[in-house]
Amino acid sequence: MTKAADESGAGSKAKAPKNNRRTMWAGVLFLLLVISGVVFGGMKANQYLHDEQQMPVQVIDFSGDYQHIDITKLERLIRKAQPGSFFALDVNDVFELVEAQSWVYRASVRKKWPNTLKIYLVEQQAVAKWNEDLLLNPYGDTFNDEGVEIDLPRLYGPGGSEKTALEGFNSMHALIGTTNMAIDELSLSERFAWQVQLENGIRLNLGRQDFIDRLQRFIDVYPLLAQQEKAVRYVDLRYDTGVAVGWNENDSSNTTNKES
């Protein structure tokens, strides 16, 4: 091999690394451009999807059987708490907000493409008033009446006795429902003694024990009491075999003990 050939070969080897470096940097630059384009496109797409003007929640569709839930107020609360974009709206947050409302017992929330939020509502069922300022549902849970006026039996008792009071009321209501009388008010004392006010104005003192048996005793003796000329004011049933009766007259100390 000649000297010229050796020099030519050495020059080619020197140029090859330079070409490889150029190719590598061109590839890196292309990759950076692609990544930048993807990131920029993702940011623009995210802005578009979260833009209330581009993807608004136009409709909040309420369904279910309800009478006392203020739908206008509820929709206003949802729109205030959540962004208007369909994709940015958090279904779980809306669910918690809806179920926190007093008259809502249960709710389900879901999105419907492209612009609707569907909410199904189950309303609380009020069965009694509790201590004047709350309502009871059939399970003994309390909730705020939010100013809704409903004619319901009134129950009173110490805190934490809601379920006990309601169970007692239900048992007494079922028993006295066999007559033409009804319970207007029920009170449970701190010592868990029962007192009942009937719609006809008669007050019953049932004590702490065997209150169902004592109520049955009143039902048995009431036809005899109703035959009297004086109206019955109260009946004390805390006796083993009889009752003490107070009559509606000026002399409130006048009582009669009737054997059952």
Side-chain angles (χ1 to χ4, degrees), residues 19-43:
N19 291 335
N20 289 339
R21 284 197 295 270
R22 289 194 189 98
T23 302
M24 180 187 69
W25 285 111
V28 170
L29 180 60
F30 177 76
L31 179 61
L32 290 175
L33 289 173
V34 171
I35 293 174
S36 299
V38 171
V39 171
F40 180 77
M43 291 174 60

Side-chain angles (χ1 to χ4, degrees), residues 48-76:
Y48 180 86
L49 294 176
H50 287 73
D51 186 356
E52 180 179 348
Q53 303 302 318
Q54 302 295 336
M55 297 292 295
V57 175
Q58 294 181 340
V59 179
I60 299 181
D61 181 20
F62 294 98
S63 60
D65 186 11
Y66 50 84
Q67 196 174 9
H68 304 294
I69 299 174
D70 189 338
I71 296 301
T72 302
K73 175 185 174 182
L74 186 54
E75 180 171 350
R76 187 167 60 247

Side-chain angles (χ1 to χ4, degrees), residues 6-19:
D6 290 342
E7 290 176 352
S8 175
S12 297
K13 291 177 181 179
K15 291 179 181 179
K18 291 183 180 180
N19 291 335

Side-chain angles (χ1 to χ4, degrees), residues 70-112:
D70 189 338
I71 296 301
T72 302
K73 175 185 174 182
L74 186 54
E75 180 171 350
R76 187 167 60 247
L77 288 173
I78 293 171
R79 292 194 181 277
K80 182 178 180 181
Q82 289 290 321
S85 167
F86 181 82
F87 286 95
L89 186 142
D90 191 317
V91 170
N92 291 327
D93 287 347
V94 174
F95 170 78
E96 292 178 2
L97 174 64
V98 171
E99 283 217 338
Q101 305 309 302
S102 293
W103 276 98
V104 177
Y105 178 66
R106 288 288 183 268
S108 65
V109 181
R110 65 184 178 88
K111 296 178 182 179
K112 182 179 180 181

Side-chain angles (χ1 to χ4, degrees), residues 109-135:
V109 181
R110 65 184 178 88
K111 296 178 182 179
K112 182 179 180 181
W113 176 264
N115 59 10
T116 301
L117 182 67
K118 298 185 73 67
I119 301 176
Y120 181 81
L121 300 171
V122 178
E123 188 173 68
Q124 290 274 20
Q125 181 185 353
V127 296
K129 293 183 179 180
W130 177 250
N131 288 341
E132 295 293 350
D133 56 348
L134 294 172
L135 297 175

Side-chain angles (χ1 to χ4, degrees), residues 218-254:
F218 165 75
I219 292 173
D220 293 340
V221 78
Y222 180 71
L224 177 62
L225 299 177
Q227 294 175 7
Q228 307 304 311
E229 295 181 359
K230 304 172 185 177
V232 178
R233 181 162 55 89
Y234 72 84
V235 180
D236 191 341
L237 296 126
R238 295 174 299 172
Y239 299 90
D240 291 336
T241 58
V243 299
V245 181
W247 305 95
N248 260 333
E249 61 180 11
N250 294 331
D251 184 7
S252 59
S253 64
N254 186 4

Side-chain angles (χ1 to χ4, degrees), residues 130-201:
W130 177 250
N131 288 341
E132 295 293 350
D133 56 348
L134 294 172
L135 297 175
L136 286 176
N137 68 17
Y139 311 104
D141 302 320
T142 59
F143 62 99
N144 197 297
D145 61 10
E146 292 190 345
V148 176
E149 293 293 333
I150 312 177
D151 186 20
L152 294 169
R154 299 184 301 276
L155 275 58
Y156 300 89
S161 66
E162 295 89 347
K163 289 181 171 58
T164 300
L166 184 61
E167 289 172 0
F169 169 80
N170 288 337
S171 298
M172 295 185 211
H173 176 73
L175 180 58
I176 210 161
T178 60
T179 70
N180 60 355
M181 295 178 285
I183 298 174
D184 182 55
E185 182 179 304
L186 179 147
S187 298
L188 190 60
S189 73
E190 294 285 347
R191 298 183 62 198
F192 285 80
W194 299 90
Q195 221 177 56
V196 172
Q197 182 82 29
L198 300 178
E199 287 186 349
N200 59 13

